[in-house]
Amino acid sequence: MSPRGRRYRRPRVPPRPSSPRPSAAAAMVFHCQRDSWARQFATRVVSCRAAELRPEGGGEPVRGFQVVLEDTILFPEGGGQPDDRGLIGDVPVLRVTRRGPEAVHFVPAALEPGAEVLLSLDWERRFDHMQQHSAVACTSLPGQHLITAIAEQMFGFKTTSWELGRQRSVIELDTPSVTAEQMGALERSVNEKIRERVPVVVRELAADDPEIETVRSRGLPDDHAGPVRVVDIEGVDSNMCCGTHVSNLSDLQVIKLLGTEKGKKNKTNLVFLAGNRVLKSVEQSHSTEKALTSLLKNGPGEHVEAVKRLQSSVKLLQKNNLNLLRDIAVLIARDFKSKPAQSQLFVLHRKEGDSEFMNIIANEIGTEEALLFLTVGDEREAGLFLLAGPVDAVEHLGPRVAELLGGKGAGKRGRFQGKAAKMSRRGEVEALLQEFISHRSPEALLKTRRAAFPSAEEERLRCGRSWRNLRSVNPP
């Protein structure tokens, strides 16, 4: 039952006319535009050829066939409105596009040219598009409708573009801002028009009809052929449009303006829902509200304050946790250093931790005489790693460690750290480091470290020699 009390038309298969139905090549107005409420339609296959379809989300092309019919109730993508979905017989239609005066249906199976077929429309998708498109018509965009028309009438806001999204729709208004008062007044006005049950009439005019000059339009496509469609909203708007529309504004049910966002080039994006999308949004919000009430143990009016308190508690816990991790890092390092016979390789993995945790351990232990291989994160999946030690050893081993762990990293001055995708291969890294150490004596490691980082005494002696040499060259 529609909002104004009448039932939607039942699916029907119209009888084939005695005279030939106009072919797609004769006009750009399809049956879906003449009768937006038709859910089934009998027609004939004109042509079928092999083709490929690139999925909207990317990926490998899908092989199938492009089918052209004598006429169609499946709207081809255009005018900001997405294409329809449906069936040709029992074959699903995956995409409908316009190619000149033809509507091209992409299907996964071949159809025989000349065969009579029954089209079935995905009505839920179509009616949603009708509501959103007609709602835009109520605003104020040349070539669009309700919201665009009234926005221009009330505030002079012209619509420069619009987008019919899967979750919400957006109108781009040629104004740097829209106040809350303006948005509230606009929402009240468009819903008043809905309650007034204003008729929406679609007319077809000949291309040379003088009336076309008086209709708002952004111009016809270069490949347009046949009659021109004009959509009239009584007392609100009249403009050219190729999309499918409701027959009365009451079919929109309700329009909700959700808010505004900053647009491009000093414009404003107005976000809205219309018709069944408003009902779905209310249902989803109510479900979320019930879930939060159960989790937070308070009423909807107290949810925000309860979440703020939880956020404050989480921040405090995270701070305390970080301090504890730092203390643990220091204790781990001191325990290693307290051992009488220190190993040349120190390996540690901890599920909890971060880069700072690993660097604290490296700073406390020092890396003059030992290699440190530290990791944090999931033992089998992704995480972080740090390799620290003598400069030449780390420069040589760092990229190989990253490669074994399936990650990337960088380093300098004896430290190489990065992200790892394959923490399960830590054992292979440890074996690599053991093998490296076994081929290098402790004396060689210490000599390399001292060459890169001289001790304070060695640095003092070097500076003294440089000063004496300078005085001998330039005596006072």
Side-chain angles (χ1 to χ4, degrees):
M1 185 80 65
S2 76
R4 64 186 181 205
R6 69 165 175 79
R7 293 185 180 276
Y8 297 130
R9 299 182 185 180
R10 293 181 178 275
R12 61 186 178 85
V13 182
R16 287 190 59 79
S18 56
S19 59
R21 183 181 291 114
S23 68
M28 286 181 61
V29 178
F30 306 108
H31 193 81
C32 58
Q33 296 166 306
R34 293 191 176 95
D35 183 2
S36 298
W37 300 85
R39 305 190 197 185
Q40 287 190 325
F41 184 67
T43 185
R44 190 184 298 273
V45 177
V46 174
S47 65
C48 177
R49 65 184 182 89
E52 290 187 342
L53 173 68
R54 292 196 174 276
E56 293 179 352
E60 292 297 319
V62 178
R63 292 184 177 181
F65 300 86
Q66 290 182 343
V67 173
V68 175
L69 306 172
E70 284 186 353
D71 206 343
T72 184
I73 58 168
L74 301 185
F75 179 76
E77 182 179 34
Q81 180 174 324
D83 55 332
D84 285 336
R85 295 290 183 271
L87 299 171
I88 302 178
D90 57 357
V91 179
V93 178
L94 307 181
R95 185 77 56 81
V96 188
T97 56
R98 187 176 69 83
R99 185 174 60 202
E102 298 176 333
V104 180
H105 308 71
F106 186 89
V107 295
L111 298 175
E112 186 69 26
E116 290 193 13
V117 292
L118 178 65
L119 280 175
S120 300
L121 173 69
D122 180 344
W123 174 248
E124 183 178 355
R125 176 183 172 95
R126 156 68 72 74
F127 188 55
D128 174 57
H129 293 170
M130 288 167 60
Q131 288 185 318
Q132 309 313 309
H133 198 160
S134 297
V136 177
C138 286
T139 44
S140 69
L141 168 65
Q144 293 305 329
H145 319 281
L146 181 57
I147 303 172
T148 54
I150 294 181
E152 183 172 2
Q153 291 173 8
M154 293 181 66
F155 307 111
F157 298 156
K158 292 186 179 296
T159 300
T160 51
S161 67
W162 81 291
E163 176 189 2
L164 199 166
R166 294 186 177 182
Q167 303 295 330
R168 60 181 197 169
S169 297
V170 179
I171 300 168
E172 184 184 69
L173 298 176
D174 192 9
T175 178
S177 64
V178 177
T179 66
E181 292 75 15
Q182 289 172 329
M183 191 165 66
L186 177 59
E187 181 176 277
R188 288 191 295 272
S189 182
V190 296
N191 282 292
E192 184 178 345
K193 292 296 182 184
I194 292 173
R195 290 191 295 272
E196 290 175 359
R197 299 175 57 193
V198 177
V200 179
V201 179
V202 177
R203 296 181 293 143
E204 296 179 14
L205 302 179
D208 57 355
D209 193 317
E211 186 180 347
I212 291 179
E213 299 298 325
T214 66
V215 177
R216 290 194 306 150
S217 171
R218 289 178 293 175
L220 294 170
D222 294 337
D223 57 354
H224 177 83
V228 176
R229 276 179 97 240
V230 176
V231 178
D232 294 321
I233 301 177
E234 187 176 303
V236 177
D237 194 30
S238 178
N239 56 65
M240 297 181 197
C241 184
C242 67
T244 56
H245 292 285
V246 298
S247 56
N248 191 289
L249 290 187
S250 62
D251 291 322
L252 297 182
Q253 299 168 284
V254 65
I255 290 176
K256 178 60 185 174
L257 305 183
L258 298 179
T260 60
E261 300 172 350
K262 185 175 178 58
K264 299 178 181 179
K265 298 181 179 179
N266 207 31
K267 297 179 181 180
T268 299
N269 294 332
L270 179 64
V271 184
F272 75 94
L273 301 175
N276 289 335
R277 291 194 181 190
V278 178
L279 301 180
K280 290 179 180 179
S281 178
V282 172
E283 181 181 1
Q284 183 179 7
S285 297
H286 181 62
S287 297
T288 301
E289 186 177 273
K290 285 178 61 178
L292 287 174
T293 297
S294 176
L295 291 170
L296 299 175
K297 309 300 182 185
N298 58 15
E302 301 172 307
H303 286 173
V304 174
E305 289 301 319
V307 171
K308 286 181 178 178
R309 290 194 297 270
L310 285 174
Q311 287 179 326
S312 298
S313 299
V314 168
K315 288 180 181 178
L316 180 60
L317 289 172
Q318 288 175 334
K319 182 178 179 181
N320 293 337
N321 184 53
L322 181 60
N323 290 333
L324 289 173
L325 280 174
R326 289 170 177 167
D327 293 341
I328 292 172
V330 172
L331 291 174
I332 290 173
R334 289 178 180 176
D335 177 67
F336 175 77
K337 292 173 69 175
S338 66
K339 295 178 180 178
Q342 293 184 10
S343 171
Q344 295 179 38
L345 176 63
F346 178 70
V347 178
L348 175 74
H349 173 77
R350 187 179 179 87
K351 187 174 183 179
E352 302 82 8
D354 54 15
S355 295
E356 183 180 6
F357 172 77
M358 296 187 292
N359 278 287
I360 290 174
I361 295 177
N363 291 337
E364 289 291 327
I365 291 180
T367 53
E368 291 85 358
E369 301 180 15
L371 276 173
L372 278 65
F373 175 52
L374 311 175
T375 54
V376 294
D378 192 289
E379 294 182 358
R380 293 290 176 184
E381 297 180 7
L384 305 174
F385 72 92
L386 169 66
L387 179 68
V391 175
D392 68 330
V394 172
E395 287 181 351
H396 174 70
L397 293 167
R400 297 176 64 186
V401 169
E403 183 180 0
L404 279 175
L405 296 176
K408 294 181 180 181
K412 60 181 179 179
R413 297 181 64 83
R415 294 196 184 183
F416 191 98
Q417 57 189 343
K419 296 181 179 180
K422 301 176 181 178
M423 295 290 278
S424 59
R425 302 184 67 180
R426 288 178 294 112
E428 297 178 45
V429 174
E430 185 174 353
L432 170 69
L433 300 180
Q434 289 284 12
E435 181 182 2
F436 178 82
I437 289 173
S438 66
H439 288 84
R440 299 192 62 173
S441 65
E443 292 77 11
L445 289 173
L446 181 59
K447 182 178 180 181
T448 302
R449 179 66 186 177
R450 285 177 174 172
F453 299 98
S455 65
E457 179 63 20
E458 290 171 332
E459 185 69 15
R460 186 183 65 78
L461 292 174
R462 185 186 65 79
C463 291
R465 287 194 298 271
S466 299
W467 175 248
R468 286 193 297 274
N469 292 338
L470 182 62
R471 286 176 62 86
S472 64
V473 174
N474 300 296

